[in-house]
Amino acid sequence: MFLRLIAAITFILSASAGMAQREPPVPPRRPTEAPSPMTPPGPRRETPPPAVKVDTPQAAPPETDTCLTSLRAAGFDIESAEQPQVSKDECRIEMPVRLKAVPVPSKPGSAVRLTEQPVLACRFADRLGHWIGDLVAPVIIGIKGSDLKAIRTGPGFECRNRNRSQTGKLSAHAEGIAIDIAGFELTNGLTLRLGQEPDSKPDPALAALRTAACGWFTTILGPGSDEAHRDHLHVDILQHGSTDRYRICQ
């Protein structure tokens, strides 16, 4: 009996040992990681305030004086002029210039002087100068056989009404787009004057120039038109009506 009890106990212990061996081994417990030391903070940086945008005034680009530049390139003796001081605000020139002489394209190297050096609007100086150089000078040498040396004119700009009237509309002279021509000086010493005696025959050169001027200007008034133009030829580029094709040629 005692031996059976010993055998039973031995069997139970052997079975328990076998079951314990069949269980998987447990891995060793991982050691707790030590906290990493903190990185000391660096110096504090000041955040700059946002930049304030300041509008810097832009310098105005210089105006390109294309009219004056082109006339100088064409050989005109011309210079910029100051705006005339006047009592009426309506009297004002757009780009005033002083016209001294113009070239004659058909005769390189020659020029025609304007004795009074009139102050004109640049666009009118352009028209007048090309009329003188392209038409007047060739017509005079063709009819008179002598070169045109100079032209006698009025001052160009004048702040006044038409025909120097006390009332009425402003003259084209008040805008610098008109000129009064009193005569043409030739290199042979002859001077063709406007306003000949009533009984005298019209000079063929002056008659041709007066007629041809209607293709260049919008207003042409001279001796015979009225008393105000008995001794000079007035030409301007004032627009009449809604189109610049309308002409007053008298």
Side-chain angles (χ1 to χ4, degrees):
M1 185 67 179
F2 179 75
L3 294 174
R4 290 181 180 179
L5 181 59
I6 294 299
I9 293 173
T10 303
F11 175 79
I12 292 172
L13 292 175
S14 299
S16 299
M19 292 179 63
Q21 291 178 357
R22 285 195 296 270
E23 293 181 1
V26 179
R29 189 173 181 179
R30 183 176 181 182
T32 304
E33 294 182 357
S36 59
M38 295 181 61
T39 304
R44 184 178 179 182
R45 296 182 180 179
E46 296 289 340
T47 303
V52 179
K53 184 178 180 180
V54 179
D55 292 332
T56 304
Q58 298 284 337
E63 295 184 1
T64 304
D65 189 351
T66 55
C67 176
L68 191 60
T69 301
S70 64
L71 293 183
R72 284 172 174 168
F76 281 50
D77 187 358
I78 190 171
E79 63 183 24
S80 179
E82 294 184 358
Q83 191 70 230
Q85 299 296 321
V86 294
S87 58
K88 294 182 179 180
D89 293 338
E90 299 87 347
C91 299
R92 190 168 184 82
I93 305 180
E94 179 184 355
M95 197 180 299
V97 296
R98 185 176 298 279
L99 185 59
K100 299 179 179 181
V102 299
V104 180
S106 60
K107 194 170 183 180
S110 64
V112 177
R113 293 185 300 103
L114 284 86
T115 57
E116 300 300 318
Q117 299 184 7
V119 174
L120 309 167
C122 192
R123 63 189 179 97
F124 181 69
D126 186 346
R127 182 72 60 86
L128 176 66
H130 282 103
W131 175 67
I132 294 171
D134 297 346
L135 187 140
V136 177
V139 167
I140 286 182
I141 193 172
I143 296 177
K144 295 297 183 178
S146 179
D147 290 327
L148 178 62
K149 180 177 68 174
I151 297 180
R152 298 177 182 176
T153 72
F157 173 83
E158 289 185 82
C159 184
R160 62 175 175 81
N161 294 331
R162 295 178 183 177
N163 298 334
R164 302 185 185 279
S165 174
Q166 295 298 320
T167 60
K169 296 182 179 180
L170 280 177
S171 169
H173 288 278
E175 298 180 44
I177 56 174
I179 194 74
D180 292 333
I181 300 173
F184 301 89
E185 297 180 6
L186 280 57
T187 54
N188 63 3
L190 180 66
T191 298
L192 306 180
R193 292 183 176 85
L194 277 299
Q196 299 290 336
E197 296 296 328
D199 296 335
S200 62
K201 294 182 180 181
D203 188 285
L206 294 178
L209 295 176
R210 185 170 179 174
T211 300
C214 292
W216 291 73
F217 306 99
T218 57
T219 310
I220 299 90
L221 301 171
S225 299
D226 53 33
E227 182 61 20
H229 299 90
R230 59 183 173 79
D231 59 355
H232 65 272
L233 182 67
H234 167 97
V235 296
D236 68 48
I237 56 172
L238 186 68
Q239 181 171 315
H240 305 292
S242 59
T243 174
D244 60 358
R245 296 181 180 179
Y246 186 84
R247 297 288 193 271
I248 297 177
C249 295
Q250 297 179 0

